[in-house]
Amino acid sequence: MTLDEATKWMEKGIVIVDHNTSYIDENVEIDSGTTIYPNVSIRGNSKIGSNNIIDSNTVIIDCEIGDNNKILSSYLTDSIIGNDNYIGPFAHMRQKVILGNNNRVGNYVEIKDSVIGNNNSLSHLSYVGNSEISDGVNFSGGAITANFDLIKRQYKKTIIKDNAIIGANSTLVAPVTINKKAFVAAGS
């Protein structure tokens, strides 16, 4: 972006670390206190709240993002993100993701068409698709939801209720419901 464009953002209280490598579409809205690091692209009709840290190599397209989030080198499209979340590095959120508050979405986690509640940990190397995850869930590394029925050619839903623990390298084959405080052993 040009220095003049960056100056307009900075006058609104947004920190642009390197205007030469950052891009922000004209329809984007950003509240004060948010910091944009180098090589960030924010496009479409994205709305970003206050006091967020958007670290280098992040792409945000048509997202609504709350306050106090830290987003590290991630790709986010068509999603709604609440407050106080820690995302990335290298997370991919796409197609109608709704993420609540105070969640940890770790490195190499992909989320698609899912609703995630509050206080959850989706550590790393995981895939969550067509799912509903309540609150306080630990979705361990390498766990996935297998949401596509190849024979019927349709997507199925996975539901994980409050305080469940999904062990490392587990595969949840939809349609399936994991009840409150359930424990799915590693490798299941």
Side-chain angles (χ1 to χ4, degrees):
M1 82 179 71
T2 68
L3 181 58
D4 288 341
E5 291 168 329
T7 300
K8 289 178 186 175
W9 287 110
M10 290 187 282
E11 286 173 351
K12 295 178 182 180
I14 289 90
V15 176
I16 308 287
V17 175
D18 182 3
H19 72 86
N20 291 310
T21 62
S22 298
Y23 175 79
I24 303 173
D25 267 351
E26 61 185 40
N27 293 332
V28 170
E29 297 176 22
I30 305 173
D31 290 341
S32 65
T34 290
T35 301
I36 311 291
Y37 280 88
N39 202 32
V40 167
S41 179
I42 305 172
R43 304 192 306 247
N45 293 310
S46 295
K47 295 179 183 180
I48 298 173
S50 61
N51 302 314
N52 292 289
I53 294 173
I54 302 174
D55 206 357
S56 298
N57 305 313
T58 295
V59 175
I60 298 170
I61 303 170
D62 293 323
C63 290
E64 184 178 322
I65 297 173
D67 302 328
N68 305 308
N69 295 289
K70 188 168 188 177
I71 303 170
L72 308 174
S73 302
S74 295
Y75 199 98
L76 315 175
T77 59
D78 301 311
S79 297
I80 298 172
I81 296 166
N83 304 316
D84 303 303
N85 294 293
Y86 190 98
I87 300 170
F90 314 117
H92 185 194
M93 298 170 68
R94 62 188 175 94
Q95 293 177 317
K96 302 176 193 165
V97 172
I98 299 174
L99 183 69
N101 303 313
N102 198 37
N103 292 290
R104 170 72 170 100
V105 177
N107 51 316
Y108 302 105
V109 172
E110 181 177 4
I111 304 172
K112 179 191 82 74
D113 196 19
S114 295
V115 177
I116 313 290
N118 304 309
N119 305 307
N120 296 296
S121 177
L122 291 82
S123 304
H124 48 274
L125 302 165
S126 297
Y127 172 73
V128 175
N130 300 86
S131 299
E132 292 177 15
I133 297 179
S134 295
D135 298 332
V137 170
N138 184 7
F139 198 87
S140 299
I144 68 165
T145 61
N147 58 317
F148 187 68
D149 184 330
L150 227 60
I151 295 168
K152 294 183 179 178
R153 311 293 296 164
Q154 58 187 206
Y155 291 97
K156 305 285 178 110
K157 186 170 286 253
T158 298
I159 298 170
I160 304 172
K161 297 188 178 179
D162 293 346
N163 302 307
I165 297 172
I166 309 303
N169 296 318
S170 296
T171 301
L172 304 179
V173 181
V176 65
T177 298
I178 308 298
N179 285 316
K180 289 182 181 182
K181 297 184 181 180
F183 177 78
V184 176
S188 296

